[in-house]
């Protein structure tokens, strides 16, 4: 298969970026998207020019490092997959593919397609954890948790923090990410005691970092590689309201 | 960047709460408007307007309503600016993600509705506030009472020459008042300009009210206005289609058990309310 690639190139955060066009030929339909970029980069290196930078790690959809905005879709045109799980057979032969980095104010570009997603880590640092005193390992079955709750928490916990929700949202809002973390922890007995303070802290951090405000458009849900549901956002809203109105611990 | 120092969720909830109040007002307004469909020369409609214009509870709600409109608009604009700033460099390829049309264009449909609201205020509310001249109506009984008081003063010789002349002019005018200036029940003078109010009711008569019936009939007889009116309500339908679902989500109501009920209410609201409003110009244009 042959493709024309239009790729965003930018030397560093402050440099002025531009689109470069590359032609790439004889790509197998079974090739993954990142493999295709590897092939392109090899040819660029052979020509002694700088390869296209892009983030990736596990290449099996579990780490959340990869993330490209491909033809108007975060993680490309397929459903419920990350960029590394995308195959070239999802594109038409001779198609022009436009590849852009995640675009949001809290995600500054490091180089080319690599963006700095530390902002998401900062939100987690605000409260996306359970405070426990160390000691002996607790017995696995000591705290009973109903199966449906465990399932719900697991669904929320499947968020890999790739930032596709922010990239997809027309407001660059991180509500789906934050709500998944808030929900996952507050559903379980270990996370429950801190839930009111957690939601307030994490939302405050999210706002401070410059993410947009959610307008319930649900583009995040449609593009999430892990199919996190917007009901998480509703739960977070509920919890936030409860925390502000009914608890004494306000931040 | 934060333009107002509240948490994003707090702002959203405020926006939703004011929106909810506006939503609840719509059926009330629609109910009054539907009185226009009754072929009674505007009796019901004028009664309803009279009630809305004089009842004290309604007056309190009027202030709340105006505040809601303003705050809903202001918060929406601030949020939109913040959201715009959250992505300083835009994508080259516009998002291809499938989302609901209503949700994507809330601010645009909102602006259209706000523009119409300005027009609507100029046409009606400003008349009520006496900033713009409109058409007026007054109860004949009240005019009579006012006239008799004046006549009494005349007998006692308390009126000066100018006032006497005015009273005579009023007497003449009112005895020759044409049928067109009376409503079907023959209880009210209607369709009066400010001049005519002074002529028929006397200079210092104050108990006249704006004649919204005549004013709305005048507006709807203008085809362009009617078409704009119908267009705006299609846009309002689009705005409403996202409104109720969004309010529910913002207040955390999202559950498989009742989501279909919210959906049902939201969709029927978004369809029935605009149809109800648009029915009136259509009725006046084609059926009447
Ligand atoms: S590289 Fe790990 S999810 Fe794609």
């Amino acid at each position: 298969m042959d493709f024309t690639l239009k790729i965003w190139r930018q030397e560093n955060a402050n440099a002025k970026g531009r689109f470069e066009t590359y032609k790439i030929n004889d790509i197998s339909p079974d090739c993954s998207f990142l493999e295709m970029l590897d092939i392109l980069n090899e040819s660029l290196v052979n020509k002694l020019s700088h390869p296209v930078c892009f983030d990736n790690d596990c290449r099996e959809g579990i780490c959340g490092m990869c993330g490209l905005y491909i033809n108007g879709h975060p993680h490309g045109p397929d459903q419920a997959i990350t960029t590394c799980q995308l195959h070239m057979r999802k594109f038409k032969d001779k198609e022009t593919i436009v590849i852009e980095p995640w675009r949001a104010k809290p995600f500054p570009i490091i180089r080319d397609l690599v963006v700095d997603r530390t902002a998401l880590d900062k939100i987690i640092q605000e409260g996306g954890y359970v405070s426990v005193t160390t000691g002996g390992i607790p017995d696995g079955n000591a705290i009973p948790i109903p199966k449906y709750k465990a399932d719900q928490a697991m669904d929320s916990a499947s968020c890999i923090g790739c930032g596709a929700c922010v990239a997809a949202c027309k407001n660059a809002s991180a509500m789906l990410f934050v709500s998944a973390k808030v929900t996952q922890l507050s559903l379980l007995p270990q996370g429950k005691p801190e839930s009111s303070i957690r939601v307030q802290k994490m939302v405050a951090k999210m706002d401070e970092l410059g993410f947009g405000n959610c307008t319930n458009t649900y583009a995040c849900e449609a593009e999430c590689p892990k199919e996190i549901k917007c009901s998480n956002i509703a739960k977070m809203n509920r919890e936030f309201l409860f925390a502000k109105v009914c608890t004494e611990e306000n931040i | 960047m934060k333009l107002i120092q509240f948490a994003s969720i707090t702002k959203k909830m405020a926006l939703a709460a004011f929106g909810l109040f506006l939503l609840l007002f719509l059926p009330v307004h629609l109910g009054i408007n539907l009185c226009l469909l009754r072929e009674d020369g505007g009796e019901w409609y004028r009664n309803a307007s009279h009630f809305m214009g004089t009842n004290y509870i309604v007056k309190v709600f009027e202030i709340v309503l105006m505040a809601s409109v303003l705050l809903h608009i202001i918060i929406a604009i601030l949020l939109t600016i913040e959201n715009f700033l959250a992505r300083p460099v835009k994508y080259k390829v516009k998002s291809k993600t499938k989302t609901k049309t209503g949700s994507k264009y809330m601010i645009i449909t909102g602006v259209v509705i706000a523009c119409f609201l300005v027009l609507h205020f100029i046409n009606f509310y400003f008349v009520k506030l006496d900033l713009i001249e409109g058409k007026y109506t007054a109860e004949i009984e009240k005019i009579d009472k006012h006239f008799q008081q004046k006549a009494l003063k005349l007998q006692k010789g308390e009126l000066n020459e100018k006032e006497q002349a005015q009273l005579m002019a009023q007497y003449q005018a009112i005895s020759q008042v044409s049928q067109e200036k009376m409503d079907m029940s023959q209880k009210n003078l209607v369709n009066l300009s400010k001049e005519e109010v002074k002529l028929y009711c006397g200079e210092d008569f104050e108990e006249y009210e704006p004649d919204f019936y005549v004013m709305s009939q005048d507006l709807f007889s203008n085809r362009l206005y009617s078409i704009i009116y119908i267009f705006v309500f299609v846009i309002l339908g689009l705005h409403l289609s996202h409104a109720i679902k969004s309010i529910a989500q913002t207040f955390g109501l999202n559950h498989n058990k009742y989501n279909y009920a919210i959906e049902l209410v939201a969709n029927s609201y978004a369809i029935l309310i605009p149809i109800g409003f648009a029915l009136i110009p259509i009725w006046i244009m084609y059926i009447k």
Side-chain angles (χ1 to χ4, degrees):
Chain A
M1 296 174 92
D2 306 336
F3 298 102
T4 308
L5 305 173
K6 285 205 167 102
I7 302 179
W8 181 261
R9 305 297 308 261
Q10 183 173 339
E11 265 65 62
N12 55 55
N14 302 319
K16 208 175 161 323
R18 74 213 167 269
F19 278 99
E20 294 264 341
T21 310
Y22 303 96
K23 292 254 183 252
I24 188 160
N25 301 328
D26 297 328
I27 295 290
S28 151
D30 296 332
C31 188
S32 89
F33 198 84
L34 296 188
E35 277 162 0
M36 184 273 296
L37 287 180
D38 289 339
I39 296 170
L40 171 74
N41 275 348
E42 237 162 70
S43 73
L44 286 178
V45 169
N46 286 343
K47 278 188 240 155
L48 294 180
S49 49
H50 203 290
V52 177
C53 295
F54 59 90
D55 250 337
N56 70 97
D57 190 9
C58 70
R59 296 216 173 184
E60 52 180 2
I62 54 173
C63 73
M65 275 308 279
C66 59
L68 301 174
Y69 191 84
I70 303 159
N71 282 352
H73 289 283
H75 294 306
D78 209 355
Q79 288 295 302
I81 50 141
T82 52
T83 306
C84 57
Q85 295 170 296
L86 178 65
H87 287 93
M88 296 318 289
R89 54 175 172 271
K90 292 286 166 189
F91 297 89
K92 284 194 239 43
D93 194 21
K94 310 249 166 8
E95 195 176 334
T96 303
I97 305 173
V98 186
I99 311 172
E100 297 173 73
W102 281 179
R103 295 235 188 254
K105 191 166 155 264
F107 291 168
I109 291 180
I110 296 172
R111 191 181 179 118
D112 296 343
L113 302 170
V114 182
V115 296
D116 183 357
R117 282 169 287 186
T118 317
L120 297 184
D121 300 333
K122 287 196 184 133
I123 297 176
I124 294 290
Q125 280 161 10
E126 278 305 300
Y129 51 78
V130 176
S131 311
V132 282
T133 30
T134 49
I137 303 164
D139 179 20
N141 292 322
I143 307 169
I145 300 169
K147 170 84 171 104
Y148 78 96
K149 280 225 163 154
D151 285 348
Q152 273 178 9
M154 192 58 220
D155 283 346
S156 303
S158 61
C159 167
I160 51 175
C162 63
C165 44
V166 181
C169 175
K170 73 181 177 70
N171 313 315
S173 164
M175 288 282 273
L176 191 67
F177 168 79
V178 180
S179 67
K181 304 299 173 192
V182 163
T183 305
Q184 161 210 336
L185 291 168
S186 72
L187 279 173
L188 299 176
Q190 295 92 333
K192 192 99 196 141
E194 289 171 293
S195 62
S196 283
I197 200 81
R198 176 185 304 120
V199 65
Q200 294 180 67
K201 276 189 174 172
M202 288 177 81
V203 169
K205 194 70 191 173
M206 170 183 87
D207 294 344
E208 182 200 316
L209 291 165
F211 289 102
N213 306 288
C214 170
T215 53
N216 305 331
T217 310
Y218 300 170
C220 50
E221 185 181 86
E223 294 293 357
C224 177
K226 297 296 152 190
E227 303 189 297
I228 306 279
K229 293 274 158 299
C230 279
S231 51
N232 285 286
I233 299 183
K235 175 153 173 62
M236 175 161 81
N237 290 341
R238 226 160 37 226
E239 232 165 69
F240 184 84
L241 185 65
F242 177 80
K244 285 285 179 203
V245 178
C246 310
T247 56
E248 282 139 34
E249 259 188 311
N250 270 339
I251 61 155
Chain B
M1 197 170 102
K2 273 172 80 177
L3 294 172
I4 14 177
Q5 293 305 314
F6 284 107
S8 55
I9 300 182
T10 312
K11 285 181 266 186
K12 273 159 55 70
M13 283 184 179
L15 185 70
F18 293 126
L20 181 65
F21 187 77
L22 300 183
L23 274 177
L24 296 178
F25 174 68
L26 278 176
V28 178
H29 198 318
L30 176 60
I32 297 170
N33 279 18
L34 288 177
C35 295
L36 283 171
L37 295 180
R38 203 166 176 264
E39 301 272 335
D40 60 356
E43 193 186 332
W44 277 26
Y45 186 76
R46 283 200 186 93
N47 284 346
S49 308
H50 176 78
F51 174 78
M52 295 301 277
T54 48
N55 187 290
Y56 285 103
I57 298 172
V58 177
K59 279 188 179 174
V60 172
F61 270 104
E62 192 177 296
I63 297 166
V64 180
L65 182 72
M66 291 302 151
S68 298
V69 172
L70 272 182
L71 288 169
H72 187 73
I73 292 174
I74 291 170
I75 298 174
I77 291 174
L78 287 177
L79 287 178
T80 308
I81 296 173
E82 282 182 10
N83 292 347
F84 185 80
L85 294 175
R87 178 166 290 139
V89 185
K90 309 285 168 212
Y91 288 113
K92 182 169 185 246
V93 183
K94 268 186 62 195
S95 171
K96 300 253 166 56
T97 311
K98 278 213 181 68
T99 46
K100 292 256 165 64
T101 319
S103 72
K104 253 187 284 185
Y105 302 116
M106 282 310 259
I107 190 72
I108 297 172
T109 49
V111 167
V112 173
I113 296 163
C115 289
F116 178 76
L117 221 53
V118 172
L119 184 70
H120 189 60
F121 278 178
I122 293 174
N123 285 338
F124 293 97
Y125 196 62
F126 283 10
V127 174
K128 195 172 154 194
L129 297 179
D130 218 4
L131 297 172
I132 281 181
E133 192 183 328
K135 294 284 195 241
Y136 301 90
T137 170
E139 261 179 67
I140 293 177
E141 214 181 282
K142 284 185 183 153
I143 303 173
D144 266 352
K145 218 160 129 199
H146 186 78
F147 184 82
Q148 275 160 19
Q149 277 170 359
K150 274 277 178 76
L152 218 66
K153 278 190 182 171
L154 182 71
Q155 281 176 359
K156 290 188 195 154
E158 282 171 7
L159 295 185
N160 63 28
E161 242 167 65
K162 201 171 153 226
E163 284 168 326
Q164 286 178 14
Q166 267 169 16
L167 200 62
M168 280 316 287
Q170 187 189 347
Y171 180 73
Q172 265 179 6
I174 218 153
S175 51
Q176 288 164 12
V177 69
S178 67
Q179 274 303 317
E180 279 161 32
K181 296 280 171 198
M182 293 235 234
D183 70 344
M184 262 154 116
S185 64
Q186 308 268 330
K187 277 188 192 140
N188 299 298
L189 287 189
V190 297
N191 197 6
L192 305 173
S193 65
K194 266 253 165 91
E195 283 280 295
E196 288 168 321
V197 172
K198 287 211 174 108
L199 183 64
Y200 291 126
C201 316
E203 291 277 344
D204 51 352
F205 183 79
E206 292 206 321
E207 284 165 287
Y208 59 91
E209 283 169 31
D211 192 351
F212 290 133
Y213 180 78
V214 170
M215 281 152 63
S216 57
Q217 295 286 337
D218 281 354
L219 278 175
F220 284 133
S221 62
N222 179 345
R223 204 158 253 263
L224 181 67
Y225 180 85
S226 298
I227 288 166
I228 292 175
Y229 190 89
I230 294 167
F231 168 75
V232 167
F233 277 99
V234 173
I235 297 289
L236 180 76
L238 210 55
H239 200 75
L240 291 183
S241 73
H242 182 58
I244 294 182
K245 276 179 261 180
S246 189
I247 290 172
Q249 167 81 359
T250 297
F251 283 106
L253 303 172
N254 180 335
H255 195 291
N256 284 342
K257 237 186 233 167
Y258 50 72
N259 272 353
Y260 75 95
I262 294 176
E263 185 101 16
L264 190 73
V265 173
N267 290 342
S268 29
Y269 217 84
I271 293 169
L272 292 180
I273 295 271
I275 285 184
F277 277 100
L279 205 62
I280 295 152
I282 292 172
W283 170 273
I284 291 175
M285 271 200 294
Y286 296 109
I287 301 171
K288 205 168 151 182

